[in-house]
Amino acid sequence: MLRFGANHTPSGDWFYDWMRPDHERRRRDFAALAELGLDHVRILPLWPVLQPNRTLIRQDALQDVRTAVEIAAEFGLDASVDVLQGHLSGFDFVPSWLTSWHAGNMFTDAELVEAQADLVGALDGALGDLPGFLGLTIGNEVNQFSATAHPTPMSATPAQVTTWLETLHGSGQVDPRQFRLNAEYDAVWYDDDHAFLPTHSARFGEMSVIHSWVFNGTAQGYGAMSAEGTRHAEYLIELSRAFAVESDRPVWLQEVGAPLNHLDVADAPDFLERTVRNAADSDSLWGVTWWCSHDISRHLGDFPDLEYSLGLLDAEGRAKPIGERFAEVAADLRTRSAPPAPRSVGVVVPVLDDDVPVSRRELSPGGGVFERWMSLAAEGHRPALVTSADAQRPETLAARGITEVVHAETTGRSFYSAVNDPEMFPPAIHA
């Protein structure tokens, strides 16, 4: 059965709540999410609160995370937990032992990597016996710290990223009932210069994770309410599947939201419904976790304006129309009698011998593969994506139910940007 949940943004003091957790407020938050019929929450504690010194993991902070998972269970909500935050809503939360006078590289410096692995193991140890604990995600979009768009990037090569992932995934024993995952923002799919590769996302952990945000150039190039906008998450699910080794590897739509710098507030519920229903038409989808649970209170300053209004609930915990719509769509999709049929038409993603895309730019909004996939969807097909290597393997195509492969023309263009700046893009080219 599909899972439906929310990324928990604590009401009141936002993620700063982790400095002195208000457990009663958290109970009210989780009760309101349970009233929407959700079944899980994603919990994101702050890294510097958990590990303020390289060799200090605060036991009180681990207990606070454990208490949050226990409170979620009081309301019938399972909980996943992210380890390295890292980055949230435009703010970085990097421990002081990684910055300024102690500046280092979290991906390549052996002592720093070991410290992160220690924290992964500590959280597993603190939470592993809880029945409602789903598992860990290594961190929230930590690949952005390696990106050239970051003001102080910690550069790494793809091989160094592989070693970093192997170390953090391999730290401690993972209960087979739980998962350990890594989650990247979409440069992993769309940016040719990015050190994190599609294979990193699609081949580590028990399932793949995608974060779908249409402010990445999709809304600017096509319009947020266009088919390209409301199918962007579905496209990413299928793109992730193309790089998986197992044909039945699940994909978690761990973040998706309705940014009101590109949507009218009246359109947000329809955007949610179209996005979620399109995503649910993939037979690999594990679940949808909306970003986010609560609006950010306006008494907190300096957030990008869109971040204040992404909640299913307002800052006081009242369900918004978008939250009510999510509840309705989730309830309906849970009743479907059978999973979606396999997708029989596959758009080819050209790759090199090591399964690195020939051009990630061509996979991005505006690129040839993206546009070919979207045009097939507009014609009524349910297109998949398949690498050029797998397109030559009949057994792989058969396992996925693909009976026809089609190729895309290169466009040489891309609307993609990792920076959410509407002034960088042309007006929408479609209504």
Side-chain angles (χ1 to χ4, degrees):
M1 180 182 292
L2 286 176
R3 307 296 300 265
F4 295 93
N7 291 273
H8 180 228
T9 48
S11 63
D13 290 342
W14 190 66
F15 291 103
Y16 306 120
D17 175 83
W18 287 106
M19 299 167 72
R20 188 179 179 182
D22 184 339
H23 298 310
E24 290 309 310
R25 183 182 288 274
R26 187 168 275 110
R27 281 189 171 85
R28 293 194 294 272
D29 288 356
F30 290 165
L33 294 173
E35 287 177 8
L36 292 179
L38 305 188
D39 56 58
H40 71 275
V41 289
R42 180 180 173 217
I43 293 173
L44 301 103
L46 296 181
W47 185 6
V49 174
L50 293 168
Q51 194 176 30
N53 182 275
R54 180 176 62 82
T55 59
L56 172 64
I57 297 171
R58 296 179 58 244
Q59 296 304 306
D60 286 351
L62 295 178
Q63 181 59 50
D64 287 335
V65 179
R66 181 180 175 90
T67 299
V69 175
E70 291 172 331
I71 293 171
E74 292 175 17
F75 299 95
L77 299 168
D78 292 335
S80 72
V81 173
D82 277 39
V83 181
L84 306 174
Q85 279 70 242
H87 179 81
L88 294 162
S89 301
F91 287 93
D92 287 349
F93 294 92
V94 179
S96 59
W97 45 271
L98 257 175
T99 62
S100 186
W101 296 104
H102 296 270
N105 189 313
M106 66 181 287
F107 304 111
T108 63
D109 293 351
E111 283 190 335
L112 305 185
V113 175
E114 181 183 0
Q116 296 165 70
D118 289 344
L119 182 57
V120 172
L123 276 165
D124 249 345
L127 305 172
D129 65 317
L130 295 176
F133 173 54
L134 292 170
L136 296 177
T137 302
I138 287 173
N140 182 52
E141 299 184 355
V142 292
N143 61 313
Q144 63 98 24
F145 289 114
S146 73
T148 56
H150 193 277
T152 56
M154 292 181 262
S155 300
T157 65
Q160 289 169 327
V161 170
T162 298
T163 299
W164 179 79
L165 286 168
E166 288 173 346
T167 303
L168 270 63
H169 274 280
S171 57
Q173 294 289 350
V174 181
D175 189 311
R177 297 170 299 177
Q178 297 155 3
F179 53 63
R180 185 175 294 175
L181 312 173
N182 48 284
E184 291 80 33
Y185 86 99
D186 55 15
V188 70
W189 309 109
Y190 296 155
D191 184 351
D192 284 307
D193 297 325
H194 198 61
F196 282 71
L197 302 173
T199 49
H200 289 139
S201 180
R203 298 181 186 178
F204 278 87
E206 290 72 31
M207 59 180 156
S208 304
V209 173
I210 61 165
H211 291 188
S212 174
W213 289 100
V214 296
F215 56 55
N216 67 353
T218 306
Q220 296 92 326
Y222 303 95
M225 290 298 292
S226 66
E228 291 84 352
T230 59
R231 288 189 178 275
H232 181 258
E234 177 192 6
Y235 173 78
L236 277 178
I237 292 168
E238 294 303 318
L239 185 56
S240 173
R241 295 187 73 189
F243 289 90
V245 174
E246 308 91 349
S247 62
D248 59 349
R249 179 177 170 92
V251 182
W252 181 8
L253 179 50
Q254 190 185 60
E255 277 190 29
V256 59
L260 297 187
N261 59 337
H262 296 291
L263 284 163
D264 292 334
V265 65
D267 289 333
D270 287 344
F271 174 84
L272 176 148
E273 178 161 4
R274 294 179 200 176
T275 295
V276 172
R277 289 191 183 278
N278 286 335
D281 193 39
S282 173
D283 63 346
S284 67
L285 182 67
W286 177 85
V288 178
T289 311
W290 196 259
W291 188 281
C292 55
S293 66
H294 292 73
D295 286 349
I296 300 173
S297 172
R298 289 280 176 178
H299 82 266
L300 294 171
D302 303 325
F303 287 86
D305 195 66
L306 73 100
E307 298 285 352
Y308 288 100
S309 55
L310 291 168
L312 298 170
L313 310 167
D314 66 19
E316 286 71 44
R318 297 178 294 246
K320 296 161 53 179
I322 192 171
E324 293 169 348
R325 184 71 65 86
F326 192 42
E328 294 167 4
V329 172
D332 180 57
L333 288 173
R334 286 191 183 108
T335 65
R336 66 184 185 186
S337 58
R343 295 172 176 237
S344 60
V345 179
V347 179
V348 173
V349 176
V351 295
L352 304 172
D353 290 343
D354 52 3
D355 284 340
V356 174
V358 172
S359 171
R360 283 188 265 186
R361 179 181 176 88
E362 289 294 327
L363 310 182
S364 71
V369 171
F370 182 94
E371 297 222 327
R372 185 72 173 111
W373 189 94
M374 289 293 175
S375 68
L376 286 168
E379 292 167 8
H381 299 283
R382 299 173 56 252
L385 289 151
V386 60
T387 66
S388 54
D390 282 344
Q392 302 300 315
R393 299 182 177 118
E395 68 281 6
T396 301
L397 297 177
R400 293 188 57 192
I402 296 173
T403 58
E404 177 186 0
V405 295
V406 298
H407 296 266
E409 298 289 333
T410 56
T411 66
R413 70 174 181 180
S414 173
F415 299 140
Y416 176 69
S417 174
V419 180
N420 176 29
D421 182 358
E423 300 304 319
M424 295 178 62
F425 297 94
I429 61 173
H430 296 305

